[in-house]
Amino acid sequence: MITLLQAADTVANEATEMGLWELFNKGGWLMWVLLLLGGLTIFIFVERFIAIRKASVLDMNFMNRIRDYIYEGKIDSAVNLCKKTDTPIARMVEKGIERLGRPMSDVQSAIENVANLEVSKLENGLPFLATIAGGAPMIGFLGTVLGMVRTFMDMSAAGGTVDLALLSSGLYIAMVTTVGGLVVGIPAYFGYNYLVARIEKLVFRMEANSIAFMDILNQPVQKK
C-alpha cells in the first residue's frame, strides 16, 4: 500500500517535469483567484511606483525661486510656478501663498491640510496591496486544506486499495496552491513595504519644504 508521504514525494517528482501551465491547472480554481491577485499586485505596484516617483521630482531651486518671487512681491509668478511644477510640495506651497495676509497659524494649517490630502492620494491602493500580501498565502493554505480533504476522501472511497493516480489530484491541489499563494504574497509584501518607505521619504521632504516656506514668510524682506 502506498503511503501518503510516498505519494506526495512521487507527485513532487512529477511536478518538476511539468510545464508551468500544466502545474497551474493542477492547482484548481483557487489558482485563478491567485492569478487575479498577482495581476492586481503588479498593477498596483507599478502604478503607485510611477505616481510616487513623479511626486518626488522637484527642482532644487524651486524654494529659492519662490522666495525671490515673494520678496519681490510677484505673488502671481509664484503661484504660476507652483502650478507649473505640479507636485505635492508645489501644491502645498501654492496653498500657503494663497493664504498670504492671514495669520501665520492659518497659513500653516492650510499647508498641513493639503499635505494630508496629498499623502492620502499617494497611499491610494496600498491597503489593498497589504491585504493581498496577507491574504494570498492564506488562500494558498486554503487550497492545501481542500487538497488534503479531497485526498482523504478519495482514500476513504477506495477502501483498502489506494494508488498514486487516486491520490495525485488532491495532492496537486495542496502543493500547487501553497506555492501559488507564496509566489503572490511574498512580492506583494516586499512591494508594499518598499512603497511605504518611498512615501515616508517624500513626507519628510514635504515637511522640510513646509518649514522652509514658513521661514521665508517669517524672515524680513531683504532690501536690495
Side-chain angles (χ1 to χ4, degrees):
M1 179 178 178
I2 301 176
T3 65
L4 188 60
L5 182 59
Q6 291 172 330
D9 183 61
T10 304
V11 169
N13 292 333
E14 290 180 356
T16 59
E17 300 175 0
M18 292 184 180
L20 291 177
W21 179 247
E22 191 173 355
L23 278 175
F24 178 89
N25 289 327
K26 291 288 186 180
W29 64 272
L30 284 176
M31 293 300 294
W32 291 100
V33 177
L34 292 172
L35 180 64
L36 175 61
L37 294 179
L40 288 174
T41 296
I42 295 174
F43 173 79
I44 293 174
F45 178 81
V46 173
E47 190 272 336
R48 286 294 86 196
F49 176 81
I50 294 174
I52 294 171
R53 184 176 65 176
K54 180 180 178 181
S56 301
V57 176
L58 185 66
D59 185 2
M60 299 299 296
N61 293 320
F62 174 76
M63 292 306 300
N64 292 332
R65 296 174 65 184
I66 290 294
R67 180 192 59 201
D68 293 341
Y69 283 141
I70 291 178
Y71 286 171
E72 294 171 3
K74 300 179 179 179
I75 305 302
D76 291 339
S77 297
V79 172
N80 290 334
L81 176 60
C82 293
K83 292 182 180 296
K84 181 180 178 181
T85 305
D86 191 26
T87 62
I89 294 175
R91 285 187 283 272
M92 288 168 49
V93 173
E94 179 184 355
K95 181 60 67 173
I97 294 174
E98 292 175 353
R99 295 294 188 273
L100 289 180
R102 298 186 180 183
M104 297 300 292
S105 59
D106 290 349
V107 177
Q108 181 68 37
S109 178
I111 292 176
E112 291 177 353
N113 290 337
V114 173
N116 291 332
L117 290 174
E118 293 296 332
V119 173
S120 178
K121 292 178 182 178
L122 291 173
E123 292 177 343
N124 185 35
L126 292 190
F128 195 73
L129 189 61
T131 301
I132 294 176
M138 295 179 66
I139 293 175
F141 179 69
L142 174 62
T144 301
V145 175
L146 293 177
M148 296 307 296
V149 169
R150 179 170 179 176
T151 298
F152 283 110
M153 289 179 64
D154 291 341
M155 291 174 62
S156 178
T161 305
V162 181
D163 57 21
L164 178 60
L166 184 65
L167 299 178
S168 62
S169 178
L171 290 176
Y172 271 122
I173 295 175
M175 298 172 67
V176 174
T177 53
T178 300
V179 174
L182 293 175
V183 167
V184 174
I186 292 174
Y189 175 79
F190 284 106
Y192 169 79
N193 284 283
Y194 173 78
L195 293 177
V196 168
R198 289 288 300 269
I199 292 176
E200 289 178 350
K201 183 178 180 181
L202 179 57
V203 169
F204 176 79
R205 292 181 58 189
M206 292 169 65
E207 292 176 349
N209 281 271
S210 173
I211 294 173
F213 178 73
M214 296 304 297
D215 287 343
I216 291 174
L217 300 185
N218 287 319
Q219 289 177 358
V221 178
Q222 298 177 356
K223 296 182 180 181
K224 298 183 180 179

